[in-house]
Amino acid sequence: MESISVVIVEDQDFFADEYSARVKSDSKLSLINAYKNANSVLAVANAINPNIAIIDIGLPDMPGYELIKQLRLFWPNCQFLVCSIHAEDDLVFNAICNGATGYLLKTATEEEFLQAIQDLHNGGSPMSFQIARKVMEFVQTKSLATQEVDKLTQRELQIVELLSKGLRYKEIAADLSLSHETVRKHINNIYRKLEVQSRTEAINKLYPR
Amino acid sequence: MESISVVIVEDQDFFADEYSARVKSDSKLSLINAYKNANSVLAVANAINPNIAIIDIGLPDMPGYELIKQLRLFWPNCQFLVCSIHAEDDLVFNAICNGATGYLLKTATEEEFLQAIQDLHNGGSPMSFQIARKVMEFVQTKSLATQEVDKLTQRELQIVELLSKGLRYKEIAADLSLSHETVRKHINNIYRKLEVQSRTEAINKLYPR
DNA sequence: CCTAAAATACCACTAAAGTAGTATTTACAT
DNA sequence: ATGTAAATACTACTTTAGTGGTATTTTAGG
């Protein structure tokens, strides 16, 4: 069994040394190198191809999420583990949106840290529990507004689905083999039930962002 | 320090016994009861008020996500931990959307199981690593389409933001102290850059669901 | 069988959205 | 200094969206 190759990008000496020591202590891992800033790793990015990259979000020369975005182009199969002292929503979601698949707070123990690398390599997404809750709440807010959906009939839901895709009335009519006027009537009823005056308001009410 | 009260809803004897034993073995937890199906717990729901509910997703008389939805009304402050042998997307997301804040596979060890209860109680969202990855991917797909956003100027993004809320052109103009015509021009440019023909198409391109 | 809700369809109308072209001013970068 | 992009504003026009009313047919429930 081949060992898992790791790079570290961390500007603070204390953490860089700590992470390096942890990786070296684990026989299943091999440390390629530890870099102090974004540019020094970008300079050699096309010469290496790690399995795991551990990225500090607070680098001096570039936001961590920006670094991930760029490194992903060089290392499409690499898993990115963000390590941060911060749990602010912006940082967390920017990192995730740019391809981070794990997010640990720096309070993580050595055991959690090494387990996270294993999890990442096994297709998991390790997160500190505070981060996990934020992510969970994000998922919950992005789901359907059930109580509004219940007000609509089957046919109306079918039409709303097409409305939300941006189809025009005549396209919806063609899709469902209905007359243009019938579609309009249905949409009128939908808006009345949802207490809205436009397509966008209806969509926002049914599919909260 | 007060102990954490737990209920279990699990139809398979093997797992029900196992979970009960685990909870009893932990001095920080107290087991209220273990129920074999959804209706037997709903029958007594208003008489109890647990801190943590452990729910099997594959109950005989009701889908687990439906049970969570109903129990949440009785126990608004309870944290729901789903335990399932399945990691199918539908089950996972239905559960999360209905209020589950943790999701473990039944392969979890006793240690992971008890740690999950602690994490839940501390405001975390424990997940088996396979689940965490699904959730992470969901977040990634639901986030801003960065490459499209980059095509727009600051002013255009500002206008798109208001467009996506369903404001009319005249309302946007008033908000930004612009003329109605200028807003229209901006929107025209936005649509051209995004290669769309309507508000809904633009929104869908920038904020994928 | 009968009724209420749902689905279908049409008309007339107003409001809003979207298209196309032109033009001026500011600001920034080569 | 000069060219380019961005932001502002206007006109003229077409298409689509949204409102209100009426009416017929289907479907499901009591």
Side-chain angles (χ1 to χ4, degrees), chain A residues 74-94:
Chain A
F74 290 103
W75 312 331
N77 300 314
C78 179
Q79 300 292 326
F80 293 89
L81 176 61
V82 169
C83 286
S84 171
I85 45 170
H86 303 287
E88 276 87 46
D89 291 17
D90 278 5
L91 291 174
V92 173
F93 288 107
N94 265 324

Side-chain angles (χ1 to χ4, degrees), chain B residues 91-108:
Chain B
L91 292 173
V92 173
F93 288 106
N94 265 324
I96 294 173
C97 295
N98 282 292
T101 39
Y103 200 114
L104 284 191
L105 295 181
K106 287 190 174 174
T107 52

Side-chain angles (χ1 to χ4, degrees), chain A residues 168-170 184-185 188 191 198-199:
Chain A
R168 279 171 266 176
Y169 290 6
K170 63 171 67 165
R184 192 142 55 168
K185 187 58 170 174
N188 218 273
Y191 290 178
S198 73
R199 182 192 293 242

